[in-house]
Amino acid sequence: MSFFNVATALLAASATARAGAYVTSLPCNAQGLFNESMDYLDRAYDKSAGYLYDTSGSTALRHETRNSAWYAIGLLARNQGSDVLEAEKIISNVIDAQFKVPEDQWYGDYQVEPEEPELGSPHYAPKMYNSWDPNWRGFIGTAFIVGLEEFGFLISPEVTSLMLESLHNATVGDGYRVGGVDGDNLYPAYTNPSLMRAFVSGWTGRRLNDSNMTTSGENYAQQIIDLFDRANTLSEFNSGTYTGVSLFAMTLWAKYLPEDSVMKQRGASMIQYTWEAVSNLWHPQLLNVAGPWDRAYGFDMTKYLSLLALHIWNAIGKEKSSIIDKPYLMSHNSDFAYGPLFAILSEFHNSLIPDDVKQALGSFKGEHTFASSTYSPPFDLYPRNITAWLANNMSIGAETFNENIIGGPAKNQRTFNPALMQWNNGNGIGWLTLYATEKHVIAKAAPGSLNLTYPDGNETSIITLLISPFAAKKTLSSLADIQGLNLTVSGTIDSNYTLSYAGDYGGTDATINDFEYWNVTFAMPAGSTEAPHICLEVDLW
């Protein structure tokens, strides 16, 4: 064997040894998250296709692109057996299917699934957030960058070149996005994809020596920072899922960009401020973050898999997060595919979490209130004012808002929870949440009470509350049947109300994000000229 071949073999062996030991070098909590999430993904991997099957289990064995890209980075980190070859196969497949026509609005984006017809063809129309998702440029682009930064020594020059070209195209395509133009909703206030957009543009521009791309990322980041700085809060506030994405993206800002980047300069402090808010709203007894929730994929974090909970797992341990022993059984469990990436970044990210925050996440610090605000132009007519009260085994949270749409900045009544309460009902978590039907609501949480007023409402207005089912009382006939909680209702509303049920197999209402619930709707008295108002006063049994 020639000297060159011997040297090459030794370098390859050294690289394999370094990466092979990588997982065991992670902090203990991160190792657990990495190994459990990779086991979950290993079972879903179709080696013959070089893609993951869609982990939702409801797509007739079709495959999925985004989670496959995340899995590929986990394979690079693990580097056992054929892991690196499989990672490169997945990455190459994802890039090969990337949209490559610059004239298309979806240029530089990635397929949702490899089985799909040609996007934009006569029988497969381009429908944003359905047949294509513009945020996947950021979800996949950030994963590629983590792979290049952490495990670039394992990736062949050919695949490295493909990844850099893909990142260039994704960044150019993301530059097409302007909020309010061509049906797009990417304003700087749409926090999680905005953070990723700024980062991918700034990183890729520097790597490819494209000063325009670098400047674009920096300028967009400054717009996000300007919104954040008014109250040290994310515009997309307090989301079990998307606060998790935002923390991930801000970690990339802080870790991978140089000192001359505004993202590097501000990333760490933004992470710290965000965790301080989370620590005031996280209830360790309930294993839930108190309301309000701008976007939530469920009403109880112990029943759906949230990305914020994965960060908490990394920080203080799985048993103190809301993740159950078998995460793959939770609703929205496909987000467990993010686990390897979160674990890879955990040591750096955790170093930015203040010690008092970690302590507050792990044990309830006692009864307290929280007040803040956030702002999401162009949807908010003025900033949303946030109040919350947390006490033993109970929380109440609310936000006052005046917007030009119904359903919050995401325009989604099913995920917008501007006022809610949670409590320990003796058999799990009880919850009560406002289903938004108005653009303008004054909502205030206080010790033992939740007050809601509709300033622009009238006699036709309704106030709809969704309430959890209860194991100890499966059939409700009135509010008096609520378990674990004494509830007193007053206000200008008619004291009579309608009661209905949303069940997966019956009832008159439809379930929301897999959750069944009771619907209690109050109307106004006929001919009333008063502003609709309801006061809910509560105490635990």
Side-chain angles (χ1 to χ4, degrees):
M1 182 181 290
S2 69
F3 174 80
F4 176 78
N5 288 337
V6 170
T8 301
L10 289 173
L11 285 171
S14 174
T16 299
R18 276 187 287 157
Y22 176 82
V23 175
T24 58
S25 74
L26 293 172
C28 181
N29 291 332
Q31 286 186 50
L33 173 58
F34 182 90
N35 289 328
E36 283 197 45
S37 56
M38 284 297 289
D39 181 61
Y40 165 84
L41 295 169
D42 286 339
R43 292 197 300 269
Y45 183 52
D46 181 357
K47 189 173 182 178
S48 64
Y51 280 96
L52 288 177
Y53 288 112
D54 188 312
T55 52
S56 69
S58 59
T59 58
L61 291 181
R62 295 193 301 275
H63 302 86
E64 201 235 40
T65 300
R66 183 187 64 175
N67 287 8
S68 297
W70 293 348
Y71 176 56
I73 309 309
L75 290 172
L76 292 173
R78 188 172 63 188
N79 189 21
Q80 295 178 354
S82 62
D83 280 349
V84 172
L85 291 176
E86 295 302 320
E88 291 196 327
K89 181 198 298 183
I90 294 168
I91 291 167
S92 298
N93 285 343
V94 169
I95 293 171
D96 184 60
Q98 188 177 17
F99 301 123
K100 296 179 173 63
V101 179
E103 291 76 23
D104 291 337
Q105 186 182 2
W106 49 94
Y107 173 63
D109 201 6
Y110 302 87
Q111 286 182 325
V112 176
E113 61 178 27
E115 289 84 359
E116 67 189 45
E118 179 185 352
L119 185 61
S121 61
H123 303 292
Y124 199 64
K127 187 175 181 182
M128 192 178 294
Y129 297 116
N130 285 279
S131 57
W132 70 288
D133 188 331
N135 293 341
W136 282 28
R137 296 186 185 104
F139 283 124
I140 292 173
T142 53
F144 282 176
I145 292 172
V146 173
L148 290 167
E149 284 279 359
E150 301 289 341
F151 313 109
F153 58 91
L154 288 173
I155 304 171
S156 68
E158 294 78 14
V159 174
T160 297
S161 179
L162 284 175
M163 293 171 77
L164 292 173
E165 181 183 6
S166 177
L167 286 164
H168 174 273
N169 294 344
T171 304
V172 171
D174 232 19
Y176 295 179
R177 302 189 68 184
V178 178
V181 177
D182 294 328
D184 209 315
N185 65 334
L186 186 63
Y187 299 92
Y190 188 6
T191 307
N192 83 88
S194 291
L195 289 165
M196 292 189 290
R197 171 188 181 164
F199 170 74
V200 173
S201 183
W203 187 93
T204 304
R206 287 176 172 85
R207 180 67 180 258
L208 300 180
N209 295 314
D210 186 325
S211 60
N212 288 334
M213 194 171 281
T214 302
T215 300
S216 176
E218 293 291 317
N219 289 343
Y220 201 75
Q222 188 60 57
Q223 295 180 62
I224 302 166
I225 292 166
D226 289 344
L227 283 172
F228 185 91
D229 281 349
R230 60 163 302 280
N232 293 322
T233 52
L234 301 173
S235 295
E236 192 175 33
F237 184 77
N238 202 33
S239 164
T241 295
Y242 294 111
T243 297
V245 178
S246 293
L247 286 167
F248 166 77
M250 290 186 291
T251 304
L252 305 181
W253 281 28
K255 185 172 187 184
Y256 296 135
L257 290 172
E259 296 296 335
D260 66 351
S261 169
V262 70
M263 290 180 268
K264 175 74 168 184
Q265 295 161 15
R266 293 303 312 279
S269 65
M270 291 170 69
I271 288 170
Q272 290 163 359
Y273 280 124
T274 300
W275 272 115
E276 286 171 4
V278 169
S279 71
N280 276 294
L281 292 168
W282 174 256
H283 203 312
Q285 294 173 333
L286 304 178
L287 299 180
N288 269 267
V289 65
W293 305 326
D294 279 348
R295 296 177 71 191
Y297 290 122
F299 304 113
D300 175 3
M301 289 170 63
T302 67
K303 293 184 177 179
Y304 81 95
L305 193 145
S306 75
L307 296 178
L308 178 60
L310 297 188
H311 285 296
I312 293 173
W313 177 345
N314 269 333
I316 60 172
K318 181 182 180 183
E319 70 284 355
K320 294 184 178 180
S321 76
S322 55
I323 303 297
I324 66 170
D325 182 53
K326 298 175 180 178
Y328 50 85
L329 296 177
M330 302 180 81
S331 284
H332 221 253
N333 68 75
S334 64
D335 276 358
F336 203 28
Y338 237 148
L341 286 166
F342 281 28
I344 288 165
L345 294 173
S346 66
E347 185 170 13
F348 179 82
H349 180 87
N350 289 350
S351 72
L352 302 176
I353 305 176
D355 289 340
D356 62 330
V357 165
K358 293 178 184 177
Q359 184 175 354
L361 293 173
S363 58
F364 185 52
K365 62 183 180 180
E367 181 176 350
H368 62 277
T369 59
F370 174 78
S372 189
S373 68
T374 192
Y375 185 43
S376 295
F379 304 106
D380 287 332
L381 303 185
Y382 59 74
R384 305 191 303 283
N385 293 311
I386 297 155
T387 52
W389 170 72
L390 286 77
N392 189 47
N393 285 316
M394 183 162 194
S395 70
I396 304 175
E399 64 181 353
T400 291
F401 60 91
N402 189 1
E403 299 179 327
N404 55 22
I405 38 82
I406 293 175
K411 305 179 186 179
N412 189 335
Q413 293 165 279
R414 296 167 62 85
T415 61
F416 184 49
N417 292 264
L420 70 147
M421 56 181 69
Q422 291 181 308
W423 66 95
N424 182 341
N425 65 35
N427 291 286
I429 305 302
W431 46 266
L432 179 155
T433 185
L434 173 68
Y435 185 82
T437 55
E438 297 276 334
K439 296 179 181 179
H440 188 188
V441 175
I442 296 174
K444 184 172 178 57
S449 70
L450 175 62
N451 273 279
L452 305 172
T453 302
Y454 295 176
D456 302 330
N458 55 42
E459 65 173 323
T460 67
S461 297
I462 59 172
I463 296 178
T464 295
L465 307 174
L466 309 183
I467 301 174
S468 61
F470 301 98
K473 185 75 173 178
K474 295 183 174 65
T475 304
L476 302 191
S477 57
S478 73
L479 291 175
D481 291 329
I482 290 177
Q483 298 295 291
L485 190 76
N486 296 311
L487 175 65
T488 302
V489 179
S490 60
T492 62
I493 41 87
D494 189 330
S495 60
N496 297 308
Y497 53 84
T498 62
L499 179 67
S500 59
Y501 184 68
D504 219 15
Y505 305 107
T508 56
D509 296 5
T511 58
I512 294 178
N513 294 315
D514 300 335
F515 280 73
E516 299 178 321
Y517 58 87
W518 292 93
N519 178 324
V520 175
T521 296
F522 292 89
M524 292 295 291
S528 174
T529 59
E530 296 184 283
H533 167 71
I534 190 169
C535 175
L536 306 176
E537 296 176 284
V538 298
D539 62 83
L540 297 178
W541 287 0

